[in-house]
Amino acid sequence: MAIDPLTAAGVVLATAATDAVYVMFTSAVVARKRVPAATWSSIWYVLSSYAVISYTENSIYVLFAAIGSWIGAFITMTFLHRPPGGPPVGAAVE
């Protein structure tokens, strides 16, 4: 079982980029910034879209994955957005 150095380097770079984007996404979510969270989410899906391309053999579906990711993150952040000092989402009402 031979290891292709170029493929191995590509995997390392892709994984590093995906994790870096995930950290940026998480940071935007914690800061409750809808547009940055949605944008980082779509970039995250573009970077991790190798499986989509592999299974469909059509890279255009990556665009649809990114759009769906952006919409999902934006809607979720909109739902979670609360004025400062308010109870967190899911907290019991007293």
Side-chain angles (χ1 to χ4, degrees):
M1 189 185 306
I3 294 176
D4 179 12
L6 189 58
T7 301
V11 169
V12 169
L13 290 175
T15 303
T18 302
D19 282 356
V21 168
Y22 176 71
V23 169
M24 296 302 294
F25 166 73
T26 303
S27 176
V29 168
V30 169
R32 296 181 181 243
K33 304 226 180 240
R34 294 181 296 175
V35 172
T39 301
W40 284 116
S41 177
S42 66
I43 293 170
W44 180 16
Y45 269 87
V46 167
L47 289 173
S48 61
S49 64
Y50 177 74
V52 173
I53 294 170
S54 296
Y55 292 118
T56 65
E57 296 181 0
N58 186 346
S59 60
I60 194 67
Y61 291 107
V62 172
L63 176 63
F64 293 101
I67 291 168
S69 172
W70 197 98
I71 291 169
F74 187 85
I75 289 172
T76 302
M77 290 300 299
T78 299
F79 174 72
L80 291 176
H81 186 70
R82 298 286 186 258
V89 173
V93 179
E94 294 181 15

mmCIF file of all heavy atoms in Angstrom, residues 12-48:
data_model
loop_
_atom_site.group_PDB
_atom_site.id
_atom_site.type_symbol
_atom_site.label_atom_id
_atom_site.label_comp_id
_atom_site.label_asym_id
_atom_site.label_seq_id
_atom_site.Cartn_x
_atom_site.Cartn_y
_atom_site.Cartn_z
ATOM 1 N N VAL A 12 -3.650 16.858 4.416
ATOM 2 C CA VAL A 12 -3.245 17.666 5.573
ATOM 3 C C VAL A 12 -3.702 19.116 5.392
ATOM 4 O O VAL A 12 -4.291 19.715 6.303
ATOM 5 C CB VAL A 12 -1.716 17.606 5.789
ATOM 6 C CG1 VAL A 12 -1.258 18.645 6.799
ATOM 7 C CG2 VAL A 12 -1.311 16.210 6.246
ATOM 8 N N LEU A 13 -3.483 19.685 4.229
ATOM 9 C CA LEU A 13 -3.871 21.070 3.967
ATOM 10 C C LEU A 13 -5.390 21.250 4.002
ATOM 11 O O LEU A 13 -5.892 22.216 4.585
ATOM 12 C CB LEU A 13 -3.308 21.538 2.628
ATOM 13 C CG LEU A 13 -1.802 21.734 2.575
ATOM 14 C CD1 LEU A 13 -1.344 22.071 1.153
ATOM 15 C CD2 LEU A 13 -1.357 22.809 3.545
ATOM 16 N N ALA A 14 -6.110 20.318 3.402
ATOM 17 C CA ALA A 14 -7.569 20.412 3.388
ATOM 18 C C ALA A 14 -8.143 20.297 4.795
ATOM 19 O O ALA A 14 -9.065 21.029 5.172
ATOM 20 C CB ALA A 14 -8.157 19.331 2.488
ATOM 21 N N THR A 15 -7.586 19.392 5.590
ATOM 22 C CA THR A 15 -8.051 19.222 6.961
ATOM 23 C C THR A 15 -7.731 20.458 7.798
ATOM 24 O O THR A 15 -8.570 20.929 8.570
ATOM 25 C CB THR A 15 -7.396 17.978 7.604
ATOM 26 O OG1 THR A 15 -7.687 16.844 6.794
ATOM 27 C CG2 THR A 15 -7.929 17.739 8.996
ATOM 28 N N ALA A 16 -6.538 21.007 7.628
ATOM 29 C CA ALA A 16 -6.152 22.213 8.364
ATOM 30 C C ALA A 16 -7.073 23.379 7.986
ATOM 31 O O ALA A 16 -7.544 24.120 8.863
ATOM 32 C CB ALA A 16 -4.697 22.562 8.075
ATOM 33 N N ALA A 17 -7.338 23.542 6.708
ATOM 34 C CA ALA A 17 -8.219 24.621 6.259
ATOM 35 C C ALA A 17 -9.635 24.424 6.783
ATOM 36 O O ALA A 17 -10.274 25.383 7.244
ATOM 37 C CB ALA A 17 -8.216 24.693 4.733
ATOM 38 N N THR A 18 -10.139 23.204 6.736
ATOM 39 C CA THR A 18 -11.484 22.919 7.222
ATOM 40 C C THR A 18 -11.600 23.215 8.711
ATOM 41 O O THR A 18 -12.575 23.842 9.157
ATOM 42 C CB THR A 18 -11.865 21.446 6.940
ATOM 43 O OG1 THR A 18 -11.779 21.214 5.534
ATOM 44 C CG2 THR A 18 -13.267 21.134 7.411
ATOM 45 N N ASP A 19 -10.615 22.799 9.486
ATOM 46 C CA ASP A 19 -10.659 23.063 10.923
ATOM 47 C C ASP A 19 -10.524 24.549 11.234
ATOM 48 O O ASP A 19 -11.169 25.063 12.152
ATOM 49 C CB ASP A 19 -9.581 22.257 11.654
ATOM 50 C CG ASP A 19 -9.993 20.804 11.835
ATOM 51 O OD1 ASP A 19 -11.120 20.457 11.457
ATOM 52 O OD2 ASP A 19 -9.181 20.030 12.352
ATOM 53 N N ALA A 20 -9.698 25.262 10.473
ATOM 54 C CA ALA A 20 -9.561 26.705 10.677
ATOM 55 C C ALA A 20 -10.890 27.404 10.411
ATOM 56 O O ALA A 20 -11.312 28.276 11.173
ATOM 57 C CB ALA A 20 -8.471 27.265 9.771
ATOM 58 N N VAL A 21 -11.566 27.005 9.360
ATOM 59 C CA VAL A 21 -12.867 27.599 9.038
ATOM 60 C C VAL A 21 -13.892 27.223 10.102
ATOM 61 O O VAL A 21 -14.729 28.043 10.490
ATOM 62 C CB VAL A 21 -13.318 27.179 7.624
ATOM 63 C CG1 VAL A 21 -14.766 27.534 7.379
ATOM 64 C CG2 VAL A 21 -12.428 27.842 6.586
ATOM 65 N N TYR A 22 -13.835 25.999 10.609
ATOM 66 C CA TYR A 22 -14.753 25.593 11.677
ATOM 67 C C TYR A 22 -14.565 26.461 12.912
ATOM 68 O O TYR A 22 -15.544 26.878 13.543
ATOM 69 C CB TYR A 22 -14.549 24.120 12.024
ATOM 70 C CG TYR A 22 -15.396 23.673 13.182
ATOM 71 C CD1 TYR A 22 -16.769 23.531 13.038
ATOM 72 C CD2 TYR A 22 -14.837 23.430 14.430
ATOM 73 C CE1 TYR A 22 -17.562 23.143 14.099
ATOM 74 C CE2 TYR A 22 -15.623 23.048 15.492
ATOM 75 C CZ TYR A 22 -16.983 22.889 15.323
ATOM 76 O OH TYR A 22 -17.758 22.519 16.383
ATOM 77 N N VAL A 23 -13.319 26.773 13.244
ATOM 78 C CA VAL A 23 -13.042 27.643 14.394
ATOM 79 C C VAL A 23 -13.625 29.035 14.149
ATOM 80 O O VAL A 23 -14.241 29.633 15.040
ATOM 81 C CB VAL A 23 -11.525 27.717 14.679
ATOM 82 C CG1 VAL A 23 -11.202 28.818 15.679
ATOM 83 C CG2 VAL A 23 -11.023 26.370 15.180
ATOM 84 N N MET A 24 -13.466 29.548 12.934
ATOM 85 C CA MET A 24 -14.026 30.867 12.610
ATOM 86 C C MET A 24 -15.555 30.830 12.674
ATOM 87 O O MET A 24 -16.180 31.774 13.158
ATOM 88 C CB MET A 24 -13.560 31.314 11.225
ATOM 89 C CG MET A 24 -12.059 31.530 11.137
ATOM 90 S SD MET A 24 -11.432 32.746 12.313
ATOM 91 C CE MET A 24 -12.199 34.217 11.701
ATOM 92 N N PHE A 25 -16.147 29.744 12.205
ATOM 93 C CA PHE A 25 -17.601 29.582 12.281
ATOM 94 C C PHE A 25 -18.063 29.579 13.730
ATOM 95 O O PHE A 25 -18.987 30.301 14.107
ATOM 96 C CB PHE A 25 -18.020 28.278 11.585
ATOM 97 C CG PHE A 25 -19.430 27.860 11.883
ATOM 98 C CD1 PHE A 25 -20.499 28.529 11.330
ATOM 99 C CD2 PHE A 25 -19.676 26.783 12.727
ATOM 100 C CE1 PHE A 25 -21.810 28.145 11.606
ATOM 101 C CE2 PHE A 25 -20.971 26.393 13.003
ATOM 102 C CZ PHE A 25 -22.047 27.066 12.438
ATOM 103 N N THR A 26 -17.397 28.797 14.559
ATOM 104 C CA THR A 26 -17.760 28.714 15.978
ATOM 105 C C THR A 26 -17.611 30.073 16.655
ATOM 106 O O THR A 26 -18.470 30.484 17.437
ATOM 107 C CB THR A 26 -16.892 27.665 16.691
ATOM 108 O OG1 THR A 26 -17.061 26.408 16.017
ATOM 109 C CG2 THR A 26 -17.281 27.516 18.148
ATOM 110 N N SER A 27 -16.551 30.788 16.341
ATOM 111 C CA SER A 27 -16.342 32.112 16.899
ATOM 112 C C SER A 27 -17.474 33.066 16.510
ATOM 113 O O SER A 27 -17.975 33.831 17.343
ATOM 114 C CB SER A 27 -14.999 32.668 16.418
ATOM 115 O OG SER A 27 -14.814 33.980 16.878
ATOM 116 N N ALA A 28 -17.900 32.998 15.258
ATOM 117 C CA ALA A 28 -18.998 33.852 14.801
ATOM 118 C C ALA A 28 -20.304 33.473 15.492
ATOM 119 O O ALA A 28 -21.110 34.350 15.832
ATOM 120 C CB ALA A 28 -19.146 33.756 13.286
ATOM 121 N N VAL A 29 -20.521 32.188 15.725
ATOM 122 C CA VAL A 29 -21.731 31.746 16.422
ATOM 123 C C VAL A 29 -21.713 32.252 17.859
ATOM 124 O O VAL A 29 -22.713 32.786 18.355
ATOM 125 C CB VAL A 29 -21.874 30.206 16.386
ATOM 126 C CG1 VAL A 29 -22.957 29.722 17.333
ATOM 127 C CG2 VAL A 29 -22.169 29.741 14.969
ATOM 128 N N VAL A 30 -20.589 32.094 18.552
ATOM 129 C CA VAL A 30 -20.479 32.550 19.933
ATOM 130 C C VAL A 30 -20.708 34.061 20.016
ATOM 131 O O VAL A 30 -21.363 34.549 20.938
ATOM 132 C CB VAL A 30 -19.106 32.165 20.533
ATOM 133 C CG1 VAL A 30 -18.860 32.858 21.861
ATOM 134 C CG2 VAL A 30 -19.010 30.657 20.692
ATOM 135 N N ALA A 31 -20.209 34.794 19.017
ATOM 136 C CA ALA A 31 -20.387 36.244 18.984
ATOM 137 C C ALA A 31 -21.782 36.634 18.482
ATOM 138 O O ALA A 31 -22.119 37.809 18.459
ATOM 139 C CB ALA A 31 -19.325 36.882 18.097
ATOM 140 N N ARG A 32 -22.573 35.627 18.086
ATOM 141 C CA ARG A 32 -23.941 35.836 17.575
ATOM 142 C C ARG A 32 -23.979 36.770 16.381
ATOM 143 O O ARG A 32 -24.818 37.650 16.274
ATOM 144 C CB ARG A 32 -24.861 36.322 18.682
ATOM 145 C CG ARG A 32 -25.028 35.289 19.772
ATOM 146 C CD ARG A 32 -25.959 35.763 20.852
ATOM 147 N NE ARG A 32 -26.058 34.746 21.874
ATOM 148 C CZ ARG A 32 -27.185 34.111 22.174
ATOM 149 N NH1 ARG A 32 -28.285 34.380 21.543
ATOM 150 N NH2 ARG A 32 -27.188 33.208 23.120
ATOM 151 N N LYS A 33 -23.068 36.545 15.468
ATOM 152 C CA LYS A 33 -22.997 37.321 14.232
ATOM 153 C C LYS A 33 -23.538 36.444 13.109
ATOM 154 O O LYS A 33 -22.894 35.485 12.692
ATOM 155 C CB LYS A 33 -21.563 37.744 13.954
ATOM 156 C CG LYS A 33 -20.958 38.515 15.110
ATOM 157 C CD LYS A 33 -20.254 39.712 14.624
ATOM 158 C CE LYS A 33 -19.657 40.461 15.798
ATOM 159 N NZ LYS A 33 -20.159 41.774 15.887
ATOM 160 N N ARG A 34 -24.735 36.776 12.640
ATOM 161 C CA ARG A 34 -25.443 35.924 11.687
ATOM 162 C C ARG A 34 -24.752 35.790 10.335
ATOM 163 O O ARG A 34 -24.550 34.685 9.850
ATOM 164 C CB ARG A 34 -26.873 36.430 11.469
ATOM 165 C CG ARG A 34 -27.722 36.314 12.699
ATOM 166 C CD ARG A 34 -29.117 36.792 12.441
ATOM 167 N NE ARG A 34 -29.102 38.225 12.119
ATOM 168 C CZ ARG A 34 -30.165 38.896 11.748
ATOM 169 N NH1 ARG A 34 -31.323 38.302 11.620
ATOM 170 N NH2 ARG A 34 -30.079 40.187 11.494
ATOM 171 N N VAL A 35 -24.431 36.906 9.710
ATOM 172 C CA VAL A 35 -23.849 36.847 8.368
ATOM 173 C C VAL A 35 -22.478 36.173 8.383
ATOM 174 O O VAL A 35 -22.228 35.268 7.570
ATOM 175 C CB VAL A 35 -23.816 38.243 7.703
ATOM 176 C CG1 VAL A 35 -23.032 38.224 6.406
ATOM 177 C CG2 VAL A 35 -25.242 38.737 7.463
ATOM 178 N N PRO A 36 -21.565 36.544 9.297
ATOM 179 C CA PRO A 36 -20.287 35.822 9.325
ATOM 180 C C PRO A 36 -20.458 34.326 9.624
ATOM 181 O O PRO A 36 -19.792 33.495 9.008
ATOM 182 C CB PRO A 36 -19.490 36.518 10.427
ATOM 183 C CG PRO A 36 -20.043 37.896 10.472
ATOM 184 C CD PRO A 36 -21.513 37.719 10.184
ATOM 185 N N ALA A 37 -21.363 33.979 10.539
ATOM 186 C CA ALA A 37 -21.577 32.560 10.851
ATOM 187 C C ALA A 37 -22.087 31.817 9.627
ATOM 188 O O ALA A 37 -21.606 30.721 9.308
ATOM 189 C CB ALA A 37 -22.558 32.411 12.010
ATOM 190 N N ALA A 38 -23.031 32.404 8.933
ATOM 191 C CA ALA A 38 -23.580 31.763 7.742
ATOM 192 C C ALA A 38 -22.522 31.652 6.644
ATOM 193 O O ALA A 38 -22.417 30.621 5.967
ATOM 194 C CB ALA A 38 -24.792 32.551 7.239
ATOM 195 N N THR A 39 -21.715 32.684 6.493
ATOM 196 C CA THR A 39 -20.668 32.663 5.463
ATOM 197 C C THR A 39 -19.596 31.631 5.784
ATOM 198 O O THR A 39 -19.207 30.843 4.914
ATOM 199 C CB THR A 39 -20.046 34.066 5.318
ATOM 200 O OG1 THR A 39 -21.098 34.982 4.972
ATOM 201 C CG2 THR A 39 -18.969 34.088 4.252
ATOM 202 N N TRP A 40 -19.126 31.606 7.030
ATOM 203 C CA TRP A 40 -18.126 30.600 7.414
ATOM 204 C C TRP A 40 -18.696 29.193 7.269
ATOM 205 O O TRP A 40 -17.989 28.261 6.883
ATOM 206 C CB TRP A 40 -17.618 30.833 8.831
ATOM 207 C CG TRP A 40 -16.642 31.971 8.919
ATOM 208 C CD1 TRP A 40 -16.808 33.137 9.606
ATOM 209 C CD2 TRP A 40 -15.357 32.050 8.297
ATOM 210 N NE1 TRP A 40 -15.709 33.942 9.444
ATOM 211 C CE2 TRP A 40 -14.799 33.305 8.647
ATOM 212 C CE3 TRP A 40 -14.624 31.193 7.487
ATOM 213 C CZ2 TRP A 40 -13.548 33.706 8.205
ATOM 214 C CZ3 TRP A 40 -13.372 31.596 7.046
ATOM 215 C CH2 TRP A 40 -12.847 32.834 7.405
ATOM 216 N N SER A 41 -19.984 29.030 7.567
ATOM 217 C CA SER A 41 -20.612 27.719 7.421
ATOM 218 C C SER A 41 -20.588 27.257 5.968
ATOM 219 O O SER A 41 -20.290 26.097 5.680
ATOM 220 C CB SER A 41 -22.054 27.778 7.936
ATOM 221 O OG SER A 41 -22.695 26.542 7.748
ATOM 222 N N SER A 42 -20.900 28.155 5.053
ATOM 223 C CA SER A 42 -20.900 27.764 3.641
ATOM 224 C C SER A 42 -19.486 27.455 3.153
ATOM 225 O O SER A 42 -19.286 26.513 2.389
ATOM 226 C CB SER A 42 -21.556 28.838 2.776
ATOM 227 O OG SER A 42 -20.808 30.015 2.773
ATOM 228 N N ILE A 43 -18.504 28.222 3.634
ATOM 229 C CA ILE A 43 -17.110 27.932 3.262
ATOM 230 C C ILE A 43 -16.696 26.576 3.818
ATOM 231 O O ILE A 43 -16.005 25.793 3.153
ATOM 232 C CB ILE A 43 -16.177 29.061 3.755
ATOM 233 C CG1 ILE A 43 -16.474 30.352 3.002
ATOM 234 C CG2 ILE A 43 -14.709 28.662 3.601
ATOM 235 C CD1 ILE A 43 -15.795 31.574 3.571
ATOM 236 N N TRP A 44 -17.135 26.289 5.031
ATOM 237 C CA TRP A 44 -16.836 25.006 5.659
ATOM 238 C C TRP A 44 -17.362 23.861 4.792
ATOM 239 O O TRP A 44 -16.661 22.878 4.555
ATOM 240 C CB TRP A 44 -17.481 25.005 7.043
ATOM 241 C CG TRP A 44 -17.308 23.801 7.888
ATOM 242 C CD1 TRP A 44 -16.410 22.791 7.752
ATOM 243 C CD2 TRP A 44 -18.070 23.488 9.041
ATOM 244 N NE1 TRP A 44 -16.566 21.870 8.749
ATOM 245 C CE2 TRP A 44 -17.582 22.287 9.555
ATOM 246 C CE3 TRP A 44 -19.117 24.118 9.692
ATOM 247 C CZ2 TRP A 44 -18.123 21.691 10.689
ATOM 248 C CZ3 TRP A 44 -19.633 23.523 10.817
ATOM 249 C CH2 TRP A 44 -19.141 22.328 11.312
ATOM 250 N N TYR A 45 -18.562 23.999 4.287
ATOM 251 C CA TYR A 45 -19.119 22.953 3.438
ATOM 252 C C TYR A 45 -18.402 22.846 2.105
ATOM 253 O O TYR A 45 -18.245 21.745 1.566
ATOM 254 C CB TYR A 45 -20.625 23.150 3.235
ATOM 255 C CG TYR A 45 -21.399 22.418 4.282
ATOM 256 C CD1 TYR A 45 -21.685 23.020 5.500
ATOM 257 C CD2 TYR A 45 -21.796 21.113 4.088
ATOM 258 C CE1 TYR A 45 -22.356 22.344 6.484
ATOM 259 C CE2 TYR A 45 -22.474 20.414 5.067
ATOM 260 C CZ TYR A 45 -22.754 21.039 6.262
ATOM 261 O OH TYR A 45 -23.410 20.366 7.241
ATOM 262 N N VAL A 46 -17.962 23.957 1.557
ATOM 263 C CA VAL A 46 -17.216 23.896 0.303
ATOM 264 C C VAL A 46 -15.924 23.119 0.515
ATOM 265 O O VAL A 46 -15.554 22.264 -0.300
ATOM 266 C CB VAL A 46 -16.931 25.313 -0.234
ATOM 267 C CG1 VAL A 46 -15.903 25.282 -1.355
ATOM 268 C CG2 VAL A 46 -18.215 25.965 -0.719
ATOM 269 N N LEU A 47 -15.246 23.383 1.629
ATOM 270 C CA LEU A 47 -13.989 22.683 1.897
ATOM 271 C C LEU A 47 -14.198 21.200 2.179
ATOM 272 O O LEU A 47 -13.345 20.377 1.874
ATOM 273 C CB LEU A 47 -13.268 23.338 3.079
ATOM 274 C CG LEU A 47 -12.672 24.708 2.801
ATOM 275 C CD1 LEU A 47 -12.136 25.319 4.090
ATOM 276 C CD2 LEU A 47 -11.578 24.619 1.754
ATOM 277 N N SER A 48 -15.312 20.874 2.785
ATOM 278 C CA SER A 48 -15.551 19.466 3.127
ATOM 279 C C SER A 48 -16.427 18.762 2.095
ATOM 280 O O SER A 48 -16.980 17.706 2.359
ATOM 281 C CB SER A 48 -16.186 19.367 4.515
ATOM 282 O OG SER A 48 -17.420 20.032 4.527
#
